[in-house]
Amino acid sequence: MIAIQSLTRQRLAAITSQYPACYSRLFSTSPASQDVHSSASRTPPTEPHTIDPRWLTMIKRRIGKCMMFGLKPPQIQEAGNILQRVARDWRGLIAGSEGYLTDETRRGHVNNVTYVRYAETARVYFTRNFALHIDPAHKTEWMNLVSSKGVGVILRSIKVDYKFPMTYPDQVTVYHKLAHDPASAQSSQYAFHLQAMIVSEAHQRPAARVHEDIVVYDYKQGKKTALPPFMEAQFQKTWELQKQAKQHWQQQILDIEARVRKLETDSWDREDAVEDMGSAKK
């Protein structure tokens, strides 16, 4: 886990160097800069990015600060619209922005057991979703993958990066995605890698991340075998959908950032700003 955290810090440091200091809080849990009137802080990022797991919480706090300072009726309406959008789309903003497909047919809802069991259960749903919703023409073949009737899949290794402990009665949603382009040199004809995000519904952020190494196995011949053509075809389509989802949700994040930033510069973060103290001024 220490190695994972070290690599993560290096990656985030490289990303944040592209943006003004004010927006480094999107990528770090460190406190934001107190220089709220700096000219750099007035420019929202213009490129998609990997967001901080607590981004939703920070967005709500920033809007709350604007409302506490005092907003005009149109600004209050805008703040309400942003909060409604965040409440509706939070799964897409958090998971979709990383390429996870978050529509109803892709979700795996499981109850409160262990993190590894979450991922195992959701991986079965991942396969069943192909059989029932995505590629019903090969329903039998997809369902056989999670059995030992012929060609199936075997988990070779699993790595869990724990983010924070969940407590009862929290519930989770688990999303899976392909880790590599099926057509790339990183992909094997006998195996594939999945990444999973275990999302806390109560905290609305990832509770754990999982990396799974899966081998295709022929139970009748007793040895590994190549991915069947129906799997290769659907994985390639899924990879393209993941790229589209990532681009779409990252753009939604940038749009929300720009709208919240405008609320800030129109309320408390302007040179002539004076807090509306309400009845306390009388």
Side-chain angles (χ1 to χ4, degrees):
M1 185 177 293
I2 295 175
I4 294 173
Q5 291 173 342
S6 176
L7 289 173
T8 301
R9 291 192 188 99
Q10 293 174 12
R11 179 169 176 245
L12 296 182
I15 296 173
T16 54
S17 65
Q18 304 173 23
Y19 302 111
C22 174
Y23 286 92
S24 65
R25 64 178 181 266
L26 295 174
F27 314 97
S28 170
T29 56
S30 302
S33 169
Q34 298 301 310
D35 185 13
V36 297
H37 289 296
S38 67
S39 58
S41 70
R42 296 180 176 276
T43 306
T46 57
E47 294 294 333
H49 50 64
T50 300
I51 66 172
D52 186 291
R54 295 179 176 82
W55 178 79
L56 284 175
T57 299
M58 292 188 293
I59 280 291
K60 293 172 186 177
R61 288 176 179 173
R62 289 168 62 188
I63 294 174
K65 182 174 181 179
C66 294
M67 297 183 73
M68 289 292 292
F69 190 85
L71 295 176
K72 298 176 182 178
Q75 296 169 335
I76 294 175
Q77 180 65 45
E78 171 69 354
N81 290 340
I82 297 172
L83 290 173
Q84 288 180 353
R85 181 176 176 182
V86 168
R88 183 191 66 221
D89 296 336
W90 71 268
R91 295 179 182 87
L93 295 167
I94 293 298
S97 63
E98 294 189 21
Y100 290 94
L101 303 177
T102 57
D103 56 273
E104 290 290 341
T105 63
R106 307 280 183 167
R107 295 182 189 176
H109 290 277
V110 293
N111 291 322
N112 203 20
V113 284
T114 65
Y115 285 114
V116 173
R117 184 65 60 82
Y118 289 156
E120 291 175 346
T121 304
R123 188 171 63 255
V124 174
Y125 280 112
F126 177 81
T127 305
R128 290 184 61 193
N129 286 339
F130 277 103
L132 300 177
H133 304 294
I134 302 167
D135 187 25
H138 296 94
K139 177 180 177 180
T140 301
E141 292 90 334
W142 283 107
M143 296 301 288
N144 285 343
L145 289 176
V146 292
S147 71
S148 56
K149 295 180 180 179
V151 175
V153 293
I154 296 177
L155 180 66
R156 180 161 55 187
S157 67
I158 184 169
K159 180 172 63 176
V160 183
D161 181 11
Y162 300 97
K163 299 302 180 182
F164 71 91
M166 290 187 295
T167 57
Y168 181 84
D170 199 351
Q171 293 186 342
V172 302
T173 297
V174 184
Y175 296 109
H176 271 88
K177 71 175 181 179
L178 296 170
H180 306 300
D181 182 348
S184 72
Q186 291 178 290
S187 298
S188 166
Q189 67 177 120
Y190 303 107
F192 58 96
H193 293 251
L194 295 177
Q195 291 177 348
M197 178 187 289
I198 300 175
V199 181
S200 162
E201 294 281 326
H203 296 271
Q204 296 187 343
R205 61 187 177 94
R209 295 178 181 273
V210 183
H211 189 97
E212 302 170 339
D213 180 6
I214 301 170
V215 176
V216 182
Y217 190 80
D218 189 327
Y219 284 94
K220 293 181 179 180
Q221 297 187 26
K223 64 179 183 180
K224 66 181 180 181
T225 188
L227 272 72
F230 73 90
M231 286 185 69
E232 289 184 328
Q234 288 301 322
F235 280 4
Q236 193 60 57
K237 291 179 181 178
T238 299
W239 180 258
E240 295 302 320
L241 289 174
Q242 287 179 189
K243 291 196 298 183
Q244 294 172 19
K246 184 176 183 178
Q247 182 179 20
H248 169 78
W249 288 110
Q250 286 185 342
Q251 187 56 52
Q252 302 309 303
I253 289 172
L254 291 177
D255 179 58
I256 291 173
E257 280 289 332
R259 292 171 67 180
V260 172
R261 190 69 198 117
K262 187 175 189 307
L263 281 179
E264 291 175 330
T265 55
D266 287 348
S267 57
W268 64 267
D269 193 9
R270 67 175 195 269
E271 297 297 336
D272 60 342
V274 178
E275 185 172 4
D276 182 1
M277 302 298 293
S279 60
K281 297 194 309 182
K282 298 179 182 180

